[in-house]
Amino acid sequence: MLLKKIFLFLFYFLAQAGKAQDINLKLIDSITIQKNEYHKFIGVDTHNFLFFTKHEVVTKTNGTQKWVYANYELGEPTSLSILNPLQLLVFYKETNTLVFLDRFLNESQRIDLNTITPSKIALWTENTKNQEVWLHNEITNSLEFYNYQNNNTLSQTIPFSKKPIHLTADFNTAFVLFDTQICKYNIYGTQINCTTINNIKKIALTNNYIVGCSTKSELIFFDTALKTSSSSIILQNNWQDFSVSNEKLYIYNGSKVYTYQLNLSSK
């Protein structure tokens, strides 16, 4: 009954090559959060800690324990990458600064991109490993695989014709959202594939698929090769944020985080 209250399912074939898939969801958990305690739900890391932001404050919690990081000098975080749970990346676009936190949310390193040579103006960033990040550089309008320890751009894409809307990535690949496309890139700056989309405002990456959230509160699933599209889910009941991790879908509505097991089956 609760599942029906949260979601209305709509299954259909999208106009993509390949075999469509059904999405099956199973509610497996929910955590109650004090209403409006946070503004943004970031997601859940591989150790099942939840991350939120509110104004300048980043919070990590499992419901009983809580860690907090706040930096009023840099302003509100633009994004928080939790891909590596031992080294979090907080990006502040307003001040063009990267801040790295350890697992207790202690600041371990800060990089002011305004002071490096050549300077970079970042629009989107995602953490990876080995002192490297994915970074969209507005100066060149390209995606860089950047080693911040050595201040060395290891690779970069050719300049984009349009400005990206969103970025999601893992350790080896990045997915860039444009207004009419999602494109996949490897760490060498090579474009692997693209797929045509409409009205998607945010993308998220899990092990086997990309999830796009449309302006109509619809979640659309693509495989990581961007060749096969699946059915979609229309979200209901004033949800605020979503995240995917380890084949689970997390929905935050301001007072609860619902966890659903994701299963895709071929038709």
Side-chain angles (χ1 to χ4, degrees):
M1 182 63 67
L2 178 59
L3 185 62
K4 292 180 180 179
K5 290 181 180 179
I6 300 298
F7 293 104
L8 169 66
F9 291 94
L10 175 63
F11 298 108
Y12 64 91
F13 289 96
L14 295 174
Q16 303 284 339
K19 185 183 295 183
Q21 295 179 303
D22 274 339
I23 306 167
N24 299 304
L25 294 185
K26 180 182 179 182
L27 180 67
I28 58 175
D29 195 14
S30 66
I31 297 177
T32 300
I33 305 294
Q34 183 177 336
K35 189 173 182 179
N36 300 321
E37 183 176 0
Y38 308 109
H39 285 171
K40 294 181 181 180
F41 169 59
I42 304 302
V44 181
D45 70 10
T46 53
H47 299 301
N48 294 319
F49 286 98
L50 291 79
F51 291 82
F52 300 88
T53 62
K54 184 175 183 179
H55 301 310
E56 295 87 359
V57 179
V58 175
T59 300
K60 171 183 177 179
T61 181
N62 60 2
T64 55
Q65 297 173 292
K66 181 184 289 188
W67 295 267
V68 170
Y69 172 79
N71 194 312
Y72 299 97
E73 174 190 359
L74 298 178
E76 293 190 24
T78 303
S79 63
L80 170 62
S81 177
I82 60 174
L83 179 62
N84 181 351
L86 302 180
Q87 184 194 59
L88 310 173
L89 168 59
V90 190
F91 169 52
Y92 298 86
K93 185 180 188 307
E94 184 177 353
T95 51
N96 202 29
T97 301
L98 309 178
V99 173
F100 294 91
L101 309 177
D102 67 16
R103 63 192 181 97
F104 300 111
L105 301 195
N106 298 308
E107 184 173 328
S108 58
Q109 188 170 358
R110 184 185 303 194
I111 299 172
D112 184 348
L113 296 174
N114 301 294
T115 63
I116 65 174
T117 302
S119 61
K120 302 177 186 294
I121 299 177
L123 178 64
W124 298 104
T125 64
E126 275 286 351
N127 203 13
T128 60
K129 56 184 177 180
N130 300 327
Q131 294 83 48
E132 295 157 354
V133 297
W134 298 99
L135 184 150
H136 173 264
N137 188 348
E138 285 197 273
I139 296 175
T140 60
N141 194 26
S142 61
L143 181 66
E144 300 182 6
F145 196 63
Y146 174 61
N147 185 301
Y148 54 86
Q149 198 66 41
N150 300 324
N151 187 26
N152 182 23
T153 299
L154 303 177
S155 65
Q156 68 183 93
T157 65
I158 61 174
F160 301 138
S161 60
K162 297 182 179 180
K163 184 176 291 188
I165 297 173
H166 199 237
L167 168 70
T168 188
D170 58 20
F171 295 127
N172 299 306
T173 53
F175 294 83
V176 182
L177 173 65
F178 301 96
D179 58 351
T180 59
Q181 283 186 315
I182 301 172
C183 293
K184 178 181 180 179
Y185 298 88
N186 63 21
I187 59 175
Y188 305 107
T190 303
Q191 184 184 96
I192 304 301
N193 204 1
C194 291
T195 190
T196 302
I197 52 91
N198 288 301
N199 301 318
I200 289 180
K201 60 183 180 180
K202 176 183 176 180
I203 52 175
L205 172 64
T206 187
N207 295 351
N208 295 320
Y209 31 82
I210 302 296
V211 185
C213 179
S214 78
T215 55
K216 298 179 181 179
S217 296
E218 180 181 24
L219 298 185
I220 303 170
F221 291 71
F222 303 89
D223 68 15
T224 53
L226 296 179
K227 292 181 179 180
T228 303
S229 58
S230 73
S231 307
S232 69
I233 301 171
I234 296 179
L235 302 179
Q236 303 291 315
N237 282 19
N238 299 319
W239 70 283
Q240 294 184 18
D241 282 304
F242 84 97
S243 177
V244 289
S245 177
N246 297 322
E247 312 308 311
K248 294 182 178 65
L249 171 67
Y250 301 91
I251 299 296
Y252 175 60
N253 69 356
S255 59
K256 282 183 179 292
V257 176
Y258 296 94
T259 304
Y260 296 88
Q261 185 67 51
L262 280 170
N263 293 295
L264 271 69
S265 58
S266 299
K267 289 185 176 181

